[in-house]
Amino acid sequence: MSEEDLKNFNYEAFAQDLSQQASEVVPSDINKEDKDFIIDIIRRFCLMAGEALYKEENSKLNAQEASIVTQFIGEWIFHKSIDLIRSGIEPQYREGILQKVAFTVFDIAKKAIEKEIPQNKLIALVEAHVKKCFAKALQDLKDKGIIDEQHTQNALSQSNIDAMAQVQVNNEIEDITCMSDSKIIKLASLAVLMKNFNSDKIKNILQRFNKPEREVLIKYLKMSDLEEKLDTKATIRCFEEMKNTLPEAVVVSYDKAYKKLYKIVKNSDKNEILNIIDKERPAIKDFVLSCYEQKRRKLPAYVADVISKYLEENVS
């Protein structure tokens, strides 16, 4: 990857942005002093990591990949800071532990991206190494007599990243549980159908729903195994209900349309009829005027029906 591409990585602004984002989601049980610590250490560690990546000679990373490594550091420092604070680890020992976490994330994420490891595996790999590094750092402090067994276990039992993930799941569940079971099943069944539509049609359908329903539909559309999770009988029942709510198809009869047109023309002033069709295409004019000649001009039944309705609406 060219060095010019990496030069597009504004690590200073990115570090500041990550710390700002963190400040907006610090849990309410964290006091102001500890919150300031979290924001500051994220900014400093992300700044150092970003600068190191930016200035590395012959780097294999591009700007986007460098930002991913830096973001990983910001996210894990955020979560592990909270874990340390909640477990009661003294402030003077927190930075040393977090420094080891930051270095581990930097090293593992950078090497994994250089090896083009898929993102889902990258995330799992980084998490596994963070847990291992975090546990070792705590054990080292315990071995030195700096922290006791209780504080060590408290810190190891904390997991802010899992807690935040659970909150997100609960919020999603709350959005869904405010709907009836039948509504949810109908939305899921509709999503099964919509998966066969093109993107424009899907977008058009989504716009017809309110926000909660739209969000549920989008979630179901993203589920690759939705069909397997749905009860087949319930889905078929929903399809039948949808079918019953649709208007029945109207069979258009040419003879019926022509008879209607003939009646309108014969009972109306000819000049008025001529004025109405004055700017129409020749085929339409001929079709209307054929009523005077009693010689039918053949047109598709649907077109004949539209013309007869148009005249009916416009004659006085």
Side-chain angles (χ1 to χ4, degrees):
M1 190 60 58
S2 68
E3 290 185 3
E4 283 116 5
D5 185 80
L6 187 57
K7 295 303 178 186
N8 293 324
F9 178 40
N10 187 343
Y11 62 89
E12 293 178 338
F14 191 60
Q16 184 62 40
D17 184 53
L18 289 175
S19 64
Q20 176 60 38
Q21 289 181 42
S23 71
E24 296 170 359
V25 292
V26 173
S28 58
D29 64 302
I30 304 299
N31 64 41
K32 185 181 185 307
E33 184 179 355
D34 289 334
K35 179 178 178 179
D36 291 342
F37 166 80
I38 294 170
I39 297 169
D40 178 66
I41 201 165
I42 289 175
R43 183 189 60 79
R44 287 191 290 114
F45 281 5
C46 288
L47 187 63
M48 286 189 288
E51 184 176 15
L53 292 167
Y54 182 82
K55 294 183 177 179
E56 182 180 8
E57 294 184 4
N58 302 317
S59 175
K60 296 180 181 179
L61 304 186
N62 58 32
Q64 182 181 5
E65 291 165 340
S67 68
I68 291 173
V69 174
T70 308
Q71 184 168 346
F72 267 125
I73 292 171
E75 290 175 352
W76 277 110
I77 292 301
F78 175 80
H79 293 302
K80 288 305 168 188
S81 293
I82 294 173
D83 289 349
L84 289 173
I85 291 166
R86 285 174 171 166
S87 63
I89 300 295
E90 294 294 328
Q92 62 266 34
Y93 306 123
R94 296 172 191 164
E95 184 162 343
I97 298 172
L98 295 171
Q99 190 173 43
K100 293 176 181 178
V101 170
F103 179 80
T104 297
V105 175
F106 181 91
D107 185 53
I108 298 301
K110 181 174 176 292
K111 288 178 180 177
I113 290 175
E114 288 174 345
K115 292 179 181 179
E116 299 182 352
I117 291 177
Q119 188 174 8
N120 60 331
K121 292 184 179 180
L122 168 62
I123 293 171
L125 183 65
V126 170
E127 182 174 4
H129 279 272
V130 166
K131 289 180 177 179
K132 184 178 179 180
C133 164
F134 190 67
K136 186 178 184 306
L138 290 168
Q139 186 63 44
D140 288 344
L141 290 178
K142 180 190 169 189
D143 291 344
K144 293 175 183 178
I146 296 174
I147 61 175
D148 58 22
E149 176 67 20
Q150 183 178 352
H151 282 92
T152 302
Q153 291 305 316
N154 282 345
L156 290 174
S157 65
Q158 297 290 332
S159 183
N160 184 65
I161 187 171
D162 292 332
M164 289 189 71
Q166 186 59 49
V167 168
Q168 183 177 359
V169 170
N170 290 342
N171 289 339
E172 291 178 357
I173 292 173
E174 186 177 348
D175 288 341
I176 295 177
T177 52
C178 66
M179 301 179 190
S180 65
D181 290 342
S182 61
K183 172 64 75 64
I184 293 171
I185 294 172
K186 286 178 181 178
L187 290 172
S189 301
L190 178 59
V192 171
L193 287 176
M194 289 172 63
K195 283 187 174 186
N196 299 312
F197 300 161
N198 61 47
S199 58
D200 288 339
K201 191 169 184 179
I202 290 174
K203 184 178 179 181
N204 182 265
I205 293 173
L206 288 174
Q207 290 175 345
R208 298 171 184 266
F209 289 85
N210 60 41
K211 186 177 179 181
E213 293 171 343
R214 184 163 59 248
E215 289 178 349
V216 171
L217 265 175
I218 290 171
K219 288 173 189 174
Y220 283 139
L221 285 168
K222 290 180 179 178
M223 290 175 62
S224 58
D225 57 346
L226 176 60
E227 293 86 344
E228 299 171 13
K229 291 183 177 181
L230 280 176
D231 179 82
T232 305
K233 291 181 179 179
T235 305
I236 293 173
R237 187 167 60 252
C238 286
F239 288 158
E240 287 297 325
E241 289 179 10
M242 291 179 195
K243 181 180 177 182
N244 292 335
T245 60
L246 294 174
E248 293 185 7
V250 178
V251 178
V252 178
S253 164
Y254 173 81
D255 288 338
K256 186 176 180 181
Y258 187 84
K259 286 179 181 178
K260 182 178 181 179
L261 175 70
Y262 183 85
K263 184 177 179 181
I264 294 169
V265 170
K266 285 297 182 180
N267 293 325
S268 302
D269 181 78
K270 186 173 183 179
N271 289 326
E272 183 180 8
I273 295 293
L274 292 175
N275 286 332
I276 292 173
I277 65 172
D278 181 53
K279 295 181 180 179
E280 297 294 339
R281 288 168 293 173
I284 294 176
K285 286 183 178 181
D286 290 344
F287 177 67
V288 174
L289 294 176
S290 68
C291 294
Y292 294 109
E293 303 168 2
Q294 295 185 352
K295 293 181 180 179
R296 293 189 181 187
R297 299 286 191 274
K298 198 67 176 176
L299 282 179
Y302 176 76
V303 177
D305 185 61
V306 170
I307 295 171
S308 64
K309 287 179 179 178
Y310 175 72
L311 280 180
E312 185 179 38
E313 293 172 358
N314 284 277
V315 293
S316 54

